[in-house]
Amino acid sequence: MSQKHLKEAFISNLNGTSLLEITLGLSLAPLCLLCRGLLLILYHLHYGKPLHSRKNNLLLDFLVLVSPLVFSCTVLSPVLFLVPTTIAAFCAGIFSKIYSQRNCKTQMPFRQIMKDFQRTSLDPEHIPAITMFRVYVNVLTAISILAVDFPQYPRRYAKTETYGTGVMDFGVGAFIFGNALVCPEVRQKSYETRSTFSNLARQFFSVWPLILLGIGRLLSVKSLEYQEHTSEYGVHWNFFFTLAFVRLAASLLLAVFPKTKSWVIAINLAVFYQLILNTTPLKMFILHGSNGTDTRAGFFNANREGLLSLFGYLAIYMASVQVGLWLLKCRNSVRSWMEGVSLLLLLVLVLFAFLHVSQAYADLVSRRMANLSYCVWIIAHCLTLFVFFVVTDLTLVFAKLLVKGASVPCSWDVAKLPNTSKRPKTEAVPAGREAKLSLICLISAINKNQLLFFLLANVLTGAVNILIDTIHCKTAFTLGILHLYMFSNCFIMHVLHGRNIVLKFW
């Protein structure tokens, strides 16, 4: 077999992993963020000032926020359950130290601290968990698209052939979910003031970079004879095209139907699509082509997975719009967010229960078809990850209240403490210092240029695969390559953010 065919076989005919293992893996990113935040608060407690060095902040962010994820999906994957347990224990130790050494003014009974904490007002203009979710989906995707080509990346984490729940299958759906959370229809600010035609025209204009990137990827893959997994999207289709067409279709639907009813559209789309799959030859067409022998003759046959899965991805997008609208309702206190988390957890339990029913009576989870079970699974696990991030940020708010003046980049700002009429001294940070802190945050850096980060990861992944025989690499070399690759991506984002450069012109 040629090198190209070897690599294609290496990522084909896979069946995924368990929902429990995916949940354990998803808990790592919030735990890493919690660890980073507590370390910064502890540093402030000991030295009386934030960590200002850009170089040290970048190093800390990379080692704590990115490196553990690289290890967890490679050499530590056989003992994955130990990784979140270890990080959680380490965080508990740091929190205990912060609590025992907190400022003398906060030396009050724990019950009183908790009462004041629940009444604390938060900045309603910014929900850090949304930013964290979108950035970490991007980071996890960047790690996986290169790591999957190395033998140290477990085959069960890669995209499944037809049925199953792989980590990379989740990443595709989570990208759609994250985009919908911040779409113009959710943000509402400029959307409400324009006409329907103006909004649609703006949406059509905004997706041209995705279409251009899709064409660029198609031409580069074909010209370089780069390895392809045809059953993923088809011969000519790719994920950039899916993102573009889902966004356009969603804009059309939201121009016709009330956005507050987007959940109804999502349910109807997913259920109707599943009914067609089960009652017509459509499923067999997707899996085996029009003649039953996996033919790729003609554009529709050649790209049947990418074209028909648009219905499922559109259902995920519409459901995510509803989630985004719900999240942006005025919740400006810790107590209201704790109630919100409780509701989300209840919804997650209902969705996982429905997923069990759907797999038993409709069809197993299939990213290839983006069927009903896949849609339910993606929304359930996306909400789970979002809840993890909200709980992490609320924990950091509690820890910051214990240490006067402590600040953590990309976490919730306290708007007002109980029984106060202005911003509290415990959170008063001069604007200049706050701006400096945001400039040296890796999360903010990636968030500012997310599409560029994703594109750069794809380009570097291609370069590594062309230059290196990834299938036969030793463990130490693999870890070195993955760390160098991720650090290069993060460093470029860090430099651009430090110079306030946003490469977006559409």
Side-chain angles (χ1 to χ4, degrees), residues 17 25 28 39 56 94 101 108 111 133 167 209 212 244 268 296 317 370 407 434 441 481 487:
T17 185
L28 289 174
L39 285 171
N56 290 341
I94 301 173
Q101 298 180 11
M108 62 177 70
R111 183 175 295 180
F133 179 94
V167 173
L212 193 63
N268 278 283
R296 293 288 172 178
Y317 191 99
S407 182
E434 192 64 49
C441 175
I481 289 293
F487 186 79

Side-chain angles (χ1 to χ4, degrees), residues 369-391:
M369 291 182 278
N371 58 4
L372 175 63
S373 295
Y374 177 77
C375 296
V376 174
W377 169 53
I378 290 298
I379 296 167
H381 253 137
C382 283
L383 290 176
T384 301
L385 179 58
F386 185 82
V387 166
F388 286 163
F389 281 126
V390 173
V391 171

Side-chain angles (χ1 to χ4, degrees), residues 203-228:
Q203 287 302 303
F204 273 88
F205 180 71
S206 68
V207 301
W208 74 260
L210 292 172
I211 295 174
L212 193 63
L213 289 172
I215 295 171
R217 176 177 171 79
L218 171 63
L219 294 177
S220 61
V221 166
K222 299 300 181 184
S223 61
L224 295 171
E225 293 191 356
Y226 192 75
Q227 67 264 18
E228 298 178 82

Side-chain angles (χ1 to χ4, degrees), residues 38-95:
L38 292 175
L39 285 171
L40 289 173
I41 294 171
L42 185 62
Y43 180 91
H44 191 284
L45 180 62
H46 282 182
Y47 296 98
K49 60 181 181 180
L51 182 62
H52 282 303
S53 169
R54 288 183 61 187
K55 181 172 68 175
N56 290 341
N57 269 279
L58 174 61
L59 188 61
L60 174 67
D61 281 358
F62 184 79
L63 291 178
V64 179
L65 301 183
V66 179
S67 189
L69 304 180
V70 175
F71 281 105
S72 297
C73 69
T74 52
V75 293
L76 295 181
S77 57
V79 288
L80 181 65
F81 67 96
L82 288 177
V83 182
T85 306
T86 303
I87 298 175
F90 184 66
C91 290
I94 301 173
F95 185 85

